[in-house]
Amino acid sequence: MKRLTDHVAVVTGAGSGIGKALALALAGQGVTVAAVGRRAAALEEVAALAAAAGGKGRAYAADLACEDEIRALVTMLHRDCERIDILVHNAAAMRMGRIADAPVEDLDLQYRTNVRAPYLLTQGLLPMLRQRRGQIVFMNSSAGLTAGAGVGPYAATKHALKALADSLREEVNRDGVRVVSVFPGRTATPLQEQVHAWERRPYRPERLLQAEDIAATVVNALCLPPTAEVTDIKIRSMTKPE
Ligand SMILES: NC(=O)c1ccc[n+]([C@@H]2O[C@H](COP(=O)([O-])OP(=O)(O)OC[C@H]3O[C@@H](n4cnc5c(N)ncnc54)[C@H](OP(=O)(O)O)[C@@H]3O)[C@@H](O)[C@H]2O)c1
């Protein structure tokens, strides 16, 4: 397996949940992680943990629902990073609600965060990723493959994200850039705790997929030699609903 030592990774939504687990797993491989999110304190904590894990961490506070902040972030990353090898689109907004009455503003927020932000960030960083024959990870969802009741707008954005990833892969593979989509089932994170509250179900994180297991799977795919490309990862909990 190729190790990722000295690589630089940008991870969005790195302050909690799956993004945090992935940032720390990458740091454990010697990666310098640019941790992106809105909560500066959480990102600073991840940066410190990344250093303790054997890599380096830098915090970049930005609201990815805001185009001006994405453009400022891209400028800062160009300024600060000599290279970018890995881009992880992990940040997402999720609003539960039925299409009959969920506010259209919820759809707009999820579109801006889950589709428009990865689109703009990819455009801004692609020249650097091409230079490094880099890798792009799209943290999708099982809802990006199958849409159930109560998650229509969220699932629509994740279906769109799959389309972006699939098109991008066809466009950049010839430059040596790999693109992988990850489709996790329910995972024990703050976001999933909110989903359980909305569903009025008891939250039992130990029965769910663990963020660290997703992180380990993604790092494994990223470590593959350039002769192979993992395009899609479907992963779910082994514990079945009661
Ligand atoms: N948990 C699950 O069951 C599950 C299942 C399938 C897929 N996923 C996907 O996994 C990814 C990570 O979610 P998670 O479960 O780990 O939830 P989480 O802990 O709530 O993480 C979401 C992250 O996104 C960031 N974020 C949200 N809106 C943002 C914005 N406008 N600008 C910048 N950052 C923003 C948040 O950071 P700040 O609050 O600091 O901004 C947060 O760290 C998401 O793409 C989600 O769709 C989750």
Side-chain angles (χ1 to χ4, degrees), residues 16 18 38-39 63-64 90 140 154 158 187 189 192:
S16 57
I18 298 168
R38 288 166 301 183
R39 290 165 299 139
D63 182 350
L64 296 173
N90 168 79
N140 205 297
Y154 173 75
K158 291 295 191 180
T187 308
T189 69
Q192 189 55 235

Side-chain angles (χ1 to χ4, degrees), residues 201-214:
R201 289 211 267 168
Y203 180 58
R204 296 178 56 190
E206 72 282 0
R207 296 186 63 83
L208 304 175
L209 187 57
Q210 301 301 305
E212 290 72 19
D213 295 337
I214 300 172

Side-chain angles (χ1 to χ4, degrees), residues 142 183-187 208-209 234-240:
S142 54
F183 302 93
R186 287 177 185 257
T187 308
L208 304 175
L209 187 57
K234 277 174 78 175
I235 180 167
R236 62 184 189 178
S237 172
M238 263 301 280
T239 309
K240 304 303 162 214

Side-chain angles (χ1 to χ4, degrees), residues 99-118:
I99 292 166
D101 50 21
V104 73
E105 290 77 14
D106 283 3
L107 172 64
D108 293 342
L109 175 73
Q110 290 172 101
Y111 166 69
R112 290 187 74 81
T113 313
N114 305 356
V115 183
R116 204 169 186 275

Side-chain angles (χ1 to χ4, degrees), residues 48-239:
L49 290 171
K56 289 183 195 147
R58 296 190 204 128
Y60 291 87
D63 182 350
L64 296 173
C66 172
E67 181 167 342
D68 287 348
E69 295 203 20
I70 296 173
R71 295 204 184 279
L73 171 68
V74 168
T75 302
M76 279 190 285
L77 290 169
H78 277 272
R79 182 197 65 199
D80 295 351
C81 303
E82 269 175 32
R83 52 190 275 182
I84 294 179
D85 304 276
I86 299 166
L87 170 60
V88 182
H89 295 298
N90 168 79
M94 183 179 192
R95 296 286 181 278
M96 305 289 287
R98 295 193 173 256
I99 292 166
D101 50 21
V104 73
E105 290 77 14
D106 283 3
L107 172 64
D108 293 342
L109 175 73
Q110 290 172 101
Y111 166 69
R112 290 187 74 81
T113 313
N114 305 356
V115 183
R116 204 169 186 275
Y119 186 81
L120 286 172
L121 206 47
T122 299
Q123 285 187 333
L125 300 181
L126 199 50
M128 292 182 83
L129 286 155
R130 278 199 164 110
Q131 260 178 19
R132 297 298 313 162
R133 301 174 80 81
Q135 312 198 59
I136 306 176
V137 179
F138 287 84
M139 194 53 64
N140 205 297
S141 166
S142 54
L145 297 170
T146 311
V151 292
Y154 173 75
T157 64
K158 291 295 191 180
H159 275 68
L161 194 64
K162 177 182 184 304
L164 280 189
D166 289 345
S167 286
L168 182 66
R169 184 179 306 110
E170 295 306 309
E171 292 168 5
V172 300
N173 263 184
R174 70 192 65 185
D175 303 319
V177 177
R178 299 194 294 205
V179 177
V180 57
S181 283
V182 188
F183 302 93
R186 287 177 185 257
T187 308
T189 69
L191 183 146
Q192 189 55 235
E193 193 169 2
Q194 284 172 17
V195 172
H196 276 66
W198 189 85
E199 295 172 331
R200 296 173 199 278
R201 289 211 267 168
Y203 180 58
R204 296 178 56 190
E206 72 282 0
R207 296 186 63 83
L208 304 175
L209 187 57
Q210 301 301 305
E212 290 72 19
D213 295 337
I214 300 172
T217 308
V218 171
V219 168
N220 217 29
L222 293 174
C223 286
L224 277 175
T227 43
E229 177 181 43
V230 176
T231 58
D232 302 274
I233 297 172
K234 277 174 78 175
I235 180 167
R236 62 184 189 178
S237 172
M238 263 301 280
T239 309

